[in-house]
Amino acid sequence: MQTISDKQGVKRYLINLTVNGDEYSPVIKGNTLLVNLLRDELDLTGTKKGCELGDCGSCTVLMDGKPVDSCLVLALEADGCEIITIEGVAQHGELDRLQRSFIDNAAIQCGYCTPGMILSAKALLTRNPHPTEPEVRAAISGNLCRCTGYVNIVKAVLDAAEATE
Ligand code: FES
Ligand code: FES
């Protein structure tokens, strides 16, 4: 990280991070939130803002493989980190099996919770490829959905896990 002062003496910080495999070196304010860096500076608006208080999980991204509420993370804290957003989940134009399973199970209504939900589920399947239903429910417990009642979401994650070798 490099500290830069403008003519008024206001400090900015040059950080380096990888987002969805691409390297970025943005200059940010000390109080810039990761969610705002992603959405406003990098145009990655798949990461949603809901409560901005750490309650809803709609802003979930993976930070070095772990799901975090990006509204609670300073962009400064992401210096040197690898971030995955929903835009980085599909590979080579092919939907991830979780994305496909959410579609096949009609686990999406308005879709606002879906990016965060999928990233929390992705972190779960990476560390535990064959979770039980309670484990799925625990993994997405920080992701609120006001539309679906969760039944189809849980089924979508379990189906995606079943398809995992
Ligand atoms: S917007 Fe981050 S947890 Fe709700
Ligand atoms: S699908 Fe609307 S909030 Fe979950």
Side-chain angles (χ1 to χ4, degrees), residues 108-113 145-148:
I108 305 166
Q109 288 187 23
C110 79
Y112 207 81
C113 70
C145 176
R146 67 177 186 173
C147 305
T148 66

Side-chain angles (χ1 to χ4, degrees), residues 16-39:
N16 299 292
L17 74 170
T18 304
V19 183
N20 302 330
D22 295 325
E23 291 178 9
Y24 294 91
S25 299
V27 175
I28 58 168
K29 293 181 189 167
N31 63 356
T32 299
L33 297 171
L34 179 57
V35 65
N36 292 333
L37 172 66
L38 294 170
R39 288 177 55 84

Side-chain angles (χ1 to χ4, degrees), residues 48-59 69 71:
K48 300 304 179 202
K49 286 207 283 188
C51 65
E52 298 182 66
L53 291 168
D55 287 335
C56 74
S58 63
C59 64
D69 292 329
C71 72

Side-chain angles (χ1 to χ4, degrees), residues 87-138:
E87 289 90 345
V89 173
Q91 293 291 316
H92 312 297
E94 292 282 327
L95 291 180
D96 182 88
R97 66 181 187 278
L98 272 165
Q99 292 173 304
R100 173 55 54 199
S101 189
F102 268 60
I103 294 169
D104 292 345
N105 283 283
I108 305 166
Q109 288 187 23
C110 79
Y112 207 81
C113 70
T114 309
M117 202 66 87
I118 285 180
L119 286 163
S120 289
K122 191 156 183 60
L124 170 67
L125 297 192
T126 299
R127 69 176 186 274
N128 177 4
H130 297 290
T132 62
E133 180 175 335
E135 287 171 337
V136 171
R137 288 186 179 274

